[in-house]
């Protein structure tokens, strides 16, 4: 089973980000207490109390102090059994990482870092309003390794507007010299409620160029493959089979519990999501209420979610499972669409599994939605 904890604070807002967070830390202590209270209240959500992964996401979890982590981990260990060899990940910003903090993480059992680097280029970091410098982006990885945390993934963003591909080529080259076992890379998207979204509406920036983005995606896949990385999910690349175990649990539809404002939970029968509002979250937990909306999943929901997550991965979607979920209607319902996608070379079937092809990777979400029930 898997546990996700959302830490809803950041030092400043990145221009592209539409995740739930606040730049005010005034209620951080109160939030940590509320998160611990929710862990207690949600104890019975997962039937199996053996956790194989824990993931601190956000927001910026590396803002947490030692006393905050002590309280959260004490609560987790009181109500769950963390199995030997569990993957415990913390998302971090480069500017938060120093030797003392990293040693503290290690003492609590955190054995994997997900570092939000985004770019090693100073002008690009300023363009997207990242708080760290290009130098910090590079040195924080080496510092983490020196302290003894070697299971590290970094995030990169591609399709940041530029005159050519030189900056992104340098980002890729730099990333593959850092002795990493995992890299995640995401296409810059402009969401309505972000700074970039407002600027787009005001005509201050242009929409992301699809051709430019697809060229950088192809560069990404090619460069990482030539450096020993396997693309096991559209945006995720691992060397030596070092897949992100927590994230893979989402794609494989395993059960997980999400704690904190905006966090989601999943138990096969339903999806539960907490309110994305710090004040209302704190108010509810103060009265021992979980401010969550529960959505009972229909047959169609379960099929569509399996398609959307499964087709993005190397493991694909098993036709047998699709037929079971659809009560034997899937192949008949999608006969014409499947035939077309197979003949166009966007999908292939191997050993009873529906897989995306290299050609289809650029359009995977649309291909999946075409097959929705």
């Amino acid at each position: 089973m898997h546990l996700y904890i959302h830490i809803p604070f950041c030092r400043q807002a990145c221009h592209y980000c539409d995740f739930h967070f606040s730049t005010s830390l005034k209620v951080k202590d109160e939030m940590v207490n509320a998160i611990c209270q929710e862990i207690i209240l949600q104890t019975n959500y997962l039937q199996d109390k053996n956790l194989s992964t824990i993931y601190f996401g956000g927001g910026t979890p590396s803002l947490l102090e030692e006393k905050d982590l002590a309280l959260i981990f004490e609560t987790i260990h009181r109500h769950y059994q963390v199995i030997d060899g569990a993957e415990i990940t913390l998302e971090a910003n480069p500017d938060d990482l120093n030797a003392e903090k990293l040693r503290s993480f290690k003492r609590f059992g955190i054995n994997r870092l997900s570092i939000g680097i985004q770019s090693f280029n100073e002008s690009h970091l300023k363009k997207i309003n990242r708080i760290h410098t290009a130098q910090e982006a590079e040195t924080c990885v080496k510092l983490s390794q020196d302290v003894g945390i070697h299971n590290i993934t970094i995030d990169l963003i591609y399709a940041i507007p530029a005159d050519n591909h030189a900056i992104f080529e340098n980002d890729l080259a730099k990333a593959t010299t850092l002795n990493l076992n995992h890299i995640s890379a995401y296409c810059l998207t402009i969401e309505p409620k972000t700074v970039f979204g407002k600027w787009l509406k005001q005509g201050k920036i242009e929409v992301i160029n699809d051709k430019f983005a697809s060229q950088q995606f192809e560069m990404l896949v090619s460069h990482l493959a030539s450096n020993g990385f396997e693309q096991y999910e559209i945006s995720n690349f691992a060397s030596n089979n070092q897949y992100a175990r927590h994230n893979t649990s989402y794609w494989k539809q395993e059960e997980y519990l999400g704690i904190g404002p905006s966090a989601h939970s999943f138990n096969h029968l339903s999806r539960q999501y907490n309110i994305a509002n710090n004040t209302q979250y704190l108010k509810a937990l103060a009265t021992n209420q979980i401010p969550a909306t529960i959505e009972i999943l229909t047959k169609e929901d379960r099929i569509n979610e399996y398609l959307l997550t499964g087709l993005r991965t190397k493991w694909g979607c098993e036709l047998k499972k699709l037929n079971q979920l659809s009560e034997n209607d899937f192949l008949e319902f999608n006969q014409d669409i499947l035939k077309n996608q197979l003949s166009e070379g966007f999908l292939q079937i191997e050993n009873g599994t529906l897989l995306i092809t290299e050609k289809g990777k650029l359009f995977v979400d649309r291909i999946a939605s075409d097959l929705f029930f």
Side-chain angles (χ1 to χ4, degrees), residues 6-22:
H6 188 80
I7 307 300
F9 302 109
C10 289
R11 294 193 197 279
Q12 72 180 33
C14 301
H15 288 343
Y16 57 85
C17 182
D18 71 341
F19 290 164
H20 171 67
F21 66 92
S22 169

Side-chain angles (χ1 to χ4, degrees), residues 154-181:
I154 65 169
D155 284 354
L156 295 176
I157 291 179
Y158 62 92
I160 298 173
D163 294 333
N164 53 50
H165 298 304
I167 291 175
F168 186 59
E169 287 174 341
N170 183 67
D171 283 348
L172 290 173
K174 182 73 71 176
T176 47
T177 64
L178 293 177
N179 196 28
L180 298 165
N181 55 30

Side-chain angles (χ1 to χ4, degrees), residues 251 253 302-323 325 330 347-356 368 371:
W251 304 322
Q253 296 194 305
R302 292 195 292 272
I303 296 165
N304 296 346
E305 287 190 7
Y306 182 47
L307 287 166
L308 196 60
T309 55
L311 285 181
R312 292 179 61 90
T313 72
K314 63 173 281 186
W315 300 286
C317 294
E318 296 177 13
L319 292 174
K320 182 179 178 181
K321 182 173 179 179
L322 284 167
N323 254 1
L325 290 171
F330 178 79
L347 290 173
Q348 60 187 15
I349 296 175
E350 288 185 8
N351 300 319
T353 301
L354 196 60
L355 298 164
I356 201 77
L371 294 169

Side-chain angles (χ1 to χ4, degrees), residues 55-56 61-62 88-94 97 110 112-117 149 151-155 182 184 186 247:
Y55 192 103
F56 289 84
S62 52
I88 305 178
T89 304
L90 183 135
E91 290 182 354
N93 273 357
L97 299 179
I110 294 165
R112 183 174 184 270
L113 293 176
S114 176
I115 305 178
I117 284 176
I149 302 176
N151 193 359
I152 298 170
T153 181
I154 65 169
D155 284 354
H182 195 283
S184 300
Y186 304 97
N247 300 73

Side-chain angles (χ1 to χ4, degrees), residues 3-5 7 53-66 68-69 72-73 87-94 96-97 101-102 104-106 108-116 144 149 151-155 246-247:
L3 178 64
Y4 172 83
I5 299 173
I7 307 300
T53 71
I54 301 171
Y55 192 103
F56 289 84
T60 310
S62 52
L63 288 173
L64 293 176
E65 300 171 62
E66 187 163 346
D68 303 323
L69 287 169
I72 293 171
F73 274 108
E87 177 194 86
I88 305 178
T89 304
L90 183 135
E91 290 182 354
N93 273 357
D96 287 328
L97 299 179
K101 178 159 270 194
L102 286 162
S104 172
F105 290 164
K106 200 175 176 188
F108 285 112
I110 294 165
N111 52 25
R112 183 174 184 270
L113 293 176
S114 176
I115 305 178
S144 301
I149 302 176
N151 193 359
I152 298 170
T153 181
I154 65 169
D155 284 354
H246 184 87
N247 300 73

Side-chain angles (χ1 to χ4, degrees), residues 1-99:
M1 297 296 165
H2 311 276
L3 178 64
Y4 172 83
I5 299 173
H6 188 80
I7 307 300
F9 302 109
C10 289
R11 294 193 197 279
Q12 72 180 33
C14 301
H15 288 343
Y16 57 85
C17 182
D18 71 341
F19 290 164
H20 171 67
F21 66 92
S22 169
T23 54
S24 171
L25 300 179
K26 290 180 182 178
V27 297
K28 180 173 70 67
D29 290 349
E30 189 180 351
M31 181 61 70
V32 169
N33 287 327
I35 282 170
C36 291
Q37 181 64 10
E38 192 192 352
I39 291 172
I40 296 167
L41 293 174
Q42 296 268 39
T43 300
N44 293 323
Y45 186 83
L46 298 179
Q47 296 306 305
D48 183 348
K49 300 300 185 293
N50 296 293
L51 296 177
S52 59
T53 71
I54 301 171
Y55 192 103
F56 289 84
T60 310
S62 52
L63 288 173
L64 293 176
E65 300 171 62
E66 187 163 346
K67 65 181 179 64
D68 303 323
L69 287 169
L71 191 57
I72 293 171
F73 274 108
E74 190 276 330
T75 308
I76 291 171
H77 287 292
R78 199 164 73 240
H79 295 278
Y80 290 92
Q81 179 68 39
V82 181
I83 69 169
D84 291 341
E87 177 194 86
I88 305 178
T89 304
L90 183 135
E91 290 182 354
N93 273 357
D95 50 290
D96 287 328
L97 299 179
N98 56 54

Side-chain angles (χ1 to χ4, degrees), residues 117-124 154-176 183-188 211-224 234-235 237:
I117 284 176
Q118 317 313 351
S119 176
F120 294 96
N121 179 270
E122 204 71 58
S123 66
H124 272 194
I154 65 169
D155 284 354
L156 295 176
I157 291 179
Y158 62 92
I160 298 173
D163 294 333
N164 53 50
H165 298 304
I167 291 175
F168 186 59
E169 287 174 341
N170 183 67
D171 283 348
L172 290 173
K174 182 73 71 176
T176 47
I183 294 172
S184 300
Y186 304 97
C187 183
L188 179 65
K211 182 178 179 182
F212 185 79
S214 62
Q215 288 171 340
Q216 292 205 341
F217 177 76
E218 289 167 357
M219 289 166 54
L220 167 75
V221 174
S222 174
H223 182 86
L224 293 185
I234 292 296
S235 300
F237 303 78

